[in-house]
Amino acid sequence: MLKLTDQRWQAIVTNDATQDGLFYYGVTSTGIFCRPSCHSRLPKRENLQLFTTPAAAMQAGYRPCKRCRPTGQAVSTAEWVTEIDQIIATHYQDKLDLDLLAQLAHGAPYYLHHVYQQQTGRTPMAALKQVRLRHATRLLRTTNLSITAIAAACGFQSAAYFSTVFKQAVHQTPREFRKKNSRTESSDC
Ligand SMILES: [Zn+2]
């Protein structure tokens, strides 16, 4: 592994293309590696690991960035969609929107939306909503958490919004759903 000198850090900060090919940097928080010139969001300095070759970065478990393509070849769209699904599965509780999703997946928002829809037949935000609803449904069935708590735990901005989305998808309010599907005799909420 290569040492992160101030000079190399500067190259990353300034997207210095003259350093491309001399080293690659992996970002521990995302598991993705880039060329110095990559225009993806500047990572925290303490999250960087430097490598002399793409192979070394991949051996250490990093995946090539979709944006700067450090291996010289495009990540296949199927791989990318899998990666996007993984990000959704890990971050559905957060304030995930298309911009943040694109940032985490190292692609432009519009492009991500387009590729994802083309590959899966639905938009990334529809996929996110489905994951959130699936978790909410499970919580309604198996816990006595309040609707507000479930909404928050599943990444919905508010209980009201959660109820609206839920009703659209399930054709029952969360409360009605819980009444019909919960075996335990729950008190209120
Ligand atoms: Zn990159």
Side-chain angles (χ1 to χ4, degrees), residues 5-179:
T5 57
D6 284 341
Q7 193 203 351
R8 291 191 180 117
W9 170 244
Q10 268 315 305
I12 295 168
V13 172
T14 58
N15 305 321
D16 183 358
T18 65
Q19 296 293 304
D20 281 0
L22 298 178
F23 73 92
Y24 301 84
Y25 67 91
V27 183
T28 54
S29 55
T30 59
I32 288 170
F33 76 98
C34 289
R35 300 172 192 270
S37 69
C38 184
H39 285 271
S40 59
R41 204 163 62 122
L42 184 68
K44 286 195 184 122
R45 184 169 175 160
E46 63 264 29
N47 290 343
L48 293 181
Q49 272 193 310
L50 264 50
F51 303 93
T52 43
T53 62
M58 283 191 283
Q59 235 164 47
Y62 289 96
R63 283 163 293 132
C65 169
K66 177 84 181 162
R67 203 160 177 179
C68 65
R69 298 175 181 176
T71 57
Q73 36 181 242
V75 180
S76 85
T77 42
E79 275 173 345
W80 200 36
V81 165
T82 307
E83 190 186 322
I84 294 165
D85 280 335
Q86 278 165 359
I87 294 170
I88 290 176
T90 351
H91 291 274
Y92 72 91
Q93 291 177 305
D94 306 334
K95 281 187 182 139
L96 196 59
D97 56 17
L98 187 59
D99 281 341
L100 181 56
L101 184 61
Q103 221 171 67
L104 294 170
H106 283 216
Y110 173 78
Y111 182 64
L112 183 148
H113 178 92
H114 177 76
V115 168
Y116 192 92
Q117 189 166 32
Q118 207 173 43
Q119 291 281 313
T120 67
R122 57 184 181 161
T123 68
M125 287 303 100
L128 172 63
K129 200 191 272 180
Q130 207 166 62
V131 168
R132 284 176 168 160
L133 280 172
R134 197 169 65 226
H135 286 280
T137 305
R138 184 174 51 81
L139 291 177
L140 283 170
R141 267 208 195 101
T142 58
T143 71
N144 288 322
L145 289 171
S146 72
I147 303 296
T148 309
I150 292 178
C154 297
F156 292 99
Q157 300 137 11
S158 69
Y161 178 66
F162 165 50
S163 294
T164 307
V165 172
F166 191 88
K167 202 169 173 186
Q168 267 167 12
V170 186
H171 306 295
Q172 294 170 21
T173 66
R175 267 165 243 272
E176 285 163 359
F177 177 86
R178 172 174 264 171
K179 232 181 221 164

Side-chain angles (χ1 to χ4, degrees), residues 140 143-145 178-179 182-189:
L140 283 170
T143 71
N144 288 322
L145 289 171
R178 172 174 264 171
K179 232 181 221 164
S182 162
R183 265 173 290 149
T184 52
E185 184 73 17
S186 65
S187 49
D188 53 6
C189 80

